[in-house]
Structures are given as C-alpha cells and as structure tokens.
Amino acid sequence: MISKTETAVRRAVEMANDPIHGYNNVDRHGPDYDCISFIQEAWKAAGVTILGSGSASFHTHCKEAGFIDVTDHVDVNTGKGTRRGDIWVKPWAHAAMMVSSTHMVEAYYNENYEGTGGEYGDQLQLRG
C-alpha cells in the first residue's frame, strides 16, 4: 500500500508535469493553482484536508491537519534534514512541497512572473 505522503508527492509531481495545470492566485482551484491550493490539492488526493487560503496562516492550518513543525531540525537554507512530502512554508510569502532534501515541487508565478493573468496551464515546476 502506498503511504499518504507518497500519494501526495506523486500527485504534486503529476500536476507539475501536466501542462494543463498552471499558476493563478485568483482562479486557483484547478486547473490552475496558487502555491497554497496546489499543496492542498496534492494532499487532498491522499485523503488529507488542509484548510486555509493564504500563506499567512497556512503554517497554522498545516499543524491543525496533523503536520509537525520541523523547522528546528532542518537547515532551511539547504534543505538538509527535510523529507519527501514535507511542506515548506514561508509565512506571508510562499509554500512548496519537498520531493527530496534538495528538490521541491511548487506553483510559483505564471509565465510573466505575475500572480494573475497570463495563459492557463504549464507554470507548475519541479526545481532544486
């Protein structure tokens, strides 16, 4: 049986690799997503509900959903100590999902490096 974490990571990578999905922080519930709704959609596929709609409170909503804050146990600059499926949250700014300790998958701006507008699809990315 595949774990919830693996299901969520696979869904996030699948969405990033599918050109129909992109970035938009207004029209953000599919096929385009913002960083928060992207993480929520990936974990929803694993049966985990994370509430909230903005990065300011997303850290709190992740903890309410059962996630543990591991900030004190990882190197936030290099990713060392993070594990597959960890959610990286920078309050008031951004959220992403770790695929490994050196790679993340995320919804991060559209093709014009803006939060709204642009073409639909193909702006989600796997980076590291």
Side-chain angles (χ1 to χ4, degrees), residues 56-101:
S57 60
F58 196 57
H59 179 265
T60 300
H61 291 296
C62 286
K63 290 190 337 184
E64 289 169 350
F67 291 87
I68 299 167
D69 186 337
V70 297
T71 307
D72 294 338
H73 307 288
V74 301
D75 185 326
V76 296
N77 295 311
T78 67
K80 184 176 180 183
T82 59
R83 297 182 308 183
R84 187 170 172 86
D86 282 353
I87 300 171
W88 179 86
V89 180
K90 184 175 182 182
W92 295 98
H94 189 52
M97 182 185 297
M98 301 306 294
V99 176
S100 69
S101 64

Side-chain angles (χ1 to χ4, degrees), residues 8-123:
V9 171
R10 287 182 183 185
R11 177 65 179 139
V13 170
E14 176 185 279
M15 288 189 298
N17 287 331
D18 185 341
I20 197 170
H21 300 295
Y23 184 88
N24 191 310
N25 67 5
V26 174
D27 183 12
R28 58 188 288 277
H29 292 289
D32 288 343
Y33 301 93
D34 69 357
C35 62
I36 301 300
S37 62
F38 176 71
I39 300 293
Q40 289 170 321
E41 180 67 21
W43 279 98
K44 179 181 172 185
V48 177
T49 300
I50 306 171
L51 301 175
S53 61
S55 59
S57 60
F58 196 57
H59 179 265
T60 300
H61 291 296
C62 286
K63 290 190 337 184
E64 289 169 350
F67 291 87
I68 299 167
D69 186 337
V70 297
T71 307
D72 294 338
H73 307 288
V74 301
D75 185 326
V76 296
N77 295 311
T78 67
K80 184 176 180 183
T82 59
R83 297 182 308 183
R84 187 170 172 86
D86 282 353
I87 300 171
W88 179 86
V89 180
K90 184 175 182 182
W92 295 98
H94 189 52
M97 182 185 297
M98 301 306 294
V99 176
S100 69
S101 64
T102 58
H103 290 81
M104 64 177 59
V105 62
E106 62 189 333
Y108 191 67
Y109 292 119
N110 66 23
E111 73 278 6
N112 300 319
Y113 297 98
E114 297 172 347
T116 60
E119 298 296 319
Y120 283 99
D122 207 21
Q123 293 102 35

